[in-house]
Amino acid sequence: MAGSLAASAFFPGPGSSPAASARSSKNAAVTGELPENLSVRGIVAKPNPPPAAMQVKAQAQTLPKVNGTKVNLKTVKPDMEETVPHSAPKTFYNQLPDWSMLLAAITTIFLAAEKQWTLLDWKPKKPDMLVDTFGFGRIIQDGMVFRQNFMIRSYEIGADRTASIETLMNHLQETALNHVRTAGLLGDGFGATPEMSKRNLIWVVSKIQLLVEQYPAWGDMVQVDTWVAAAGKNGMRRDWHVRDYNSGRTILRATSVWVMMHKKTRRLSKMPDEVRAEIGPYFNDRSAITEEQSEKLAKTGNKVGDDATEQFIRKGLTPRWGDLDVNQHVNNVKYIGWILEVSAPISVLEKHELASMTLDYRKECGRDSVLQSLTTVSGECTSIGADKQASAIQCDHLLQLESGADIVKAHTEWRPKRSHAAAENA
């Protein structure tokens, strides 16, 4: 704009005389203002001014100069302003598309397609099933059963390339907690409901029974179903049924009894009516282990310390920090490792596999406890039933504090090891 003013001073437009231009320049030099009949471009304006809506006020950061003198630009009505947009020169960089907007649009399309695919994949098969997008499992059978799948990882198998009993027990515990979470009943505690959390109550396991038909191998997918039922007036029963995901064959059946304990006093408590009202609608009378099967499972006896074929004792066991759960006591699955891996004879572990187990939990174990594990092998058993799959060895186990208090009593039955293929054929 300053260039246009300077050019207009030396090159007046048509219709203007040199004398008029000289007089205009002289007045501008004296007053610092342009004549009223001189436009911004140095062209003589018409006598009649344009309408007020069409007038423009030009603003600049620095005052333009004409012949070395600062000038001010004025219009008739200064209250009417119009901003003249500045357009950057067109270059190759400016003409490139906005890639961030393009990527955002593509991501939105893929997420929407994935969501629709998930819904279409499950709804037609089982309409009563709640799809779980985050992999925590899902509710099936009108909300009465919770189901979750697990892949057997390389770090969950033993020397024989099959999953250990501790791996399977961890799957049972995980599905139990995820069942409570998915049902919307998870409070502040380890599987405790909101009403339990208000009263400082937690769940503790009292008894577990399980039957193992076969052990999954590395890479197998297992499907775990779990549900709950009433166990007396103050207890809750939780059952599990574990199957092979592809073949549908049973891998494990288990049942357990849980009672409530006060978190601060560490004493057993009755089940409040408010808690029963929370979990009551989810009770299912179905049993994973029938009464007949339960009767065949030998009870945890008092054979430990009696005359037997062999006895094995391991003393000085202390819990590690990783053995504790959020309730500040040793997790129930850790007891199984102490019982089977510590005191069981290596000859049994090498040539046999666990077929059944019954555990009675008598007392909790804390971080500072010192324990000893005792195992008695009662010898071989005869085959029972047409399938000839009875256990070959029976063992009784006792885990107790060195002071003498019993922590866990257990009875296990073992059968000769079978290959993974032979177990599937059986």
Side-chain angles (χ1 to χ4, degrees):
M1 182 178 293
S4 299
L5 293 173
S8 63
F10 291 98
F11 302 98
S16 62
S17 62
S21 300
R23 289 192 300 270
S24 299
S25 299
K26 183 177 180 180
N27 294 333
V30 175
T31 62
E33 298 181 358
L34 291 178
E36 294 183 357
N37 62 343
L38 184 62
S39 66
V40 176
R41 297 183 180 274
I43 302 175
V44 177
K46 294 182 180 181
N48 296 327
M54 299 298 293
Q55 296 179 9
V56 179
K57 177 181 180 181
Q59 295 180 344
Q61 298 296 329
T62 59
L63 296 176
K65 294 182 180 181
V66 178
N67 294 334
T69 305
K70 295 183 179 180
V71 297
N72 292 328
L73 302 181
K74 291 185 178 181
T75 55
V76 177
K77 293 186 178 181
D79 57 338
M80 300 297 294
E81 297 183 0
E82 179 180 354
T83 303
V84 181
H86 174 73
S87 60
K90 291 185 177 181
T91 62
F92 175 76
Y93 178 79
N94 292 339
Q95 292 178 354
L96 291 176
D98 192 344
W99 295 109
S100 60
M101 295 182 62
L102 181 61
L103 291 176
I106 294 175
T107 304
T108 303
I109 293 173
F110 272 100
L111 290 176
E114 182 182 7
K115 182 177 181 180
Q116 292 297 325
W117 177 264
T118 303
L119 296 176
L120 292 175
D121 183 49
W122 289 107
K123 279 189 175 180
K125 296 179 182 179
K126 296 182 179 181
D128 61 337
M129 185 171 55
L130 299 178
V131 178
D132 176 43
T133 307
F134 301 100
F136 292 126
R138 58 189 182 274
I139 302 291
I140 61 173
Q141 298 183 12
D142 297 329
M144 305 304 293
V145 178
F146 178 78
R147 172 172 293 175
Q148 187 171 2
N149 300 330
F150 296 92
M151 178 74 72
I152 303 300
R153 311 295 182 181
S154 60
Y155 53 81
E156 295 176 326
I157 62 174
D160 54 1
R161 298 189 178 186
T162 58
S164 64
I165 187 62
E166 291 180 76
T167 294
L168 298 178
M169 294 295 292
N170 283 326
H171 291 169
L172 303 188
Q173 180 174 273
E174 183 69 11
T175 53
L177 293 175
N178 288 336
H179 185 193
V180 179
R181 181 205 303 268
T182 306
L185 296 177
L186 187 62
D188 296 334
F190 199 47
T193 66
E195 290 295 334
M196 292 176 60
S197 299
K198 293 178 182 178
R199 295 165 174 79
N200 287 322
L201 297 177
I202 59 176
W203 290 114
V204 291
V205 62
S206 173
K207 184 177 182 179
I208 294 180
Q209 284 184 313
L210 59 91
L211 293 170
V212 185
E213 297 190 13
Q214 66 181 49
Y215 287 84
W218 176 29
D220 288 351
M221 178 77 74
V222 297
Q223 185 178 82
V224 184
D225 289 356
T226 183
W227 59 94
V228 293
K233 294 182 179 180
N234 299 308
M236 181 185 72
R237 193 189 82 225
R238 178 173 285 278
D239 289 7
W240 295 271
H241 189 183
V242 184
R243 301 181 182 89
D244 183 271
Y245 178 80
N246 294 317
S247 64
R249 294 175 178 172
T250 296
I251 293 177
L252 179 147
R253 297 174 184 269
T255 184
S256 61
V257 177
W258 299 74
V259 293
M260 292 185 182
M261 184 177 72
H262 197 277
K263 192 174 183 178
K264 294 183 177 180
T265 63
R266 315 307 286 187
R267 293 183 179 180
L268 297 182
S269 173
K270 295 182 178 181
M271 182 182 294
D273 294 337
E274 293 81 1
V275 177
R276 191 181 305 275
E278 283 182 320
I279 63 178
Y282 298 93
F283 283 170
N284 188 351
D285 293 334
R286 168 186 169 191
S287 298
I289 297 179
T290 63
E291 293 183 2
E292 182 179 358
Q293 292 173 324
S294 180
E295 290 176 358
K296 289 183 179 180
L297 291 175
K299 309 298 181 182
T300 55
N302 299 317
K303 298 180 182 179
V304 177
D306 297 341
D307 293 336
T309 305
E310 292 180 284
Q311 271 189 340
F312 302 87
I313 301 176
R314 179 73 177 273
K315 297 183 178 181
L317 300 177
T318 56
R320 300 174 301 174
W321 177 255
D323 296 334
L324 305 179
D325 60 23
V326 297
N327 290 328
Q328 303 303 314
H329 59 205
V330 175
N331 187 273
N332 64 84
V333 179
K334 297 297 180 181
Y335 294 132
I336 299 174
W338 284 338
I339 290 172
L340 303 184
E341 297 291 339
V342 174
S343 62
I346 190 64
S347 59
V348 173
L349 299 177
E350 286 180 342
K351 299 178 181 180
H352 297 77
E353 63 183 13
L354 184 68
S356 66
M357 179 168 57
T358 302
L359 300 104
D360 285 331
Y361 294 86
R362 303 297 180 87
K363 183 180 178 65
E364 66 175 344
C365 176
R367 181 180 59 182
D368 299 327
S369 302
V370 181
L371 304 93
Q372 59 182 4
S373 180
L374 302 89
T375 296
T376 298
V377 180
S378 58
E380 294 187 357
C381 303
T382 57
S383 299
I384 300 175
D387 56 358
K388 304 297 182 182
Q389 296 297 324
S391 302
I393 291 179
Q394 292 188 19
C395 298
D396 288 283
H397 311 269
L398 177 61
L399 190 66
Q400 61 182 187
L401 298 175
E402 288 192 344
S403 60
D406 293 346
I407 301 296
V408 179
K409 282 188 175 183
H411 179 84
T412 58
E413 297 182 357
W414 304 75
R415 59 172 172 252
K417 277 188 177 180
R418 300 173 294 178
S419 64
H420 186 60
E424 289 184 349
N425 293 333

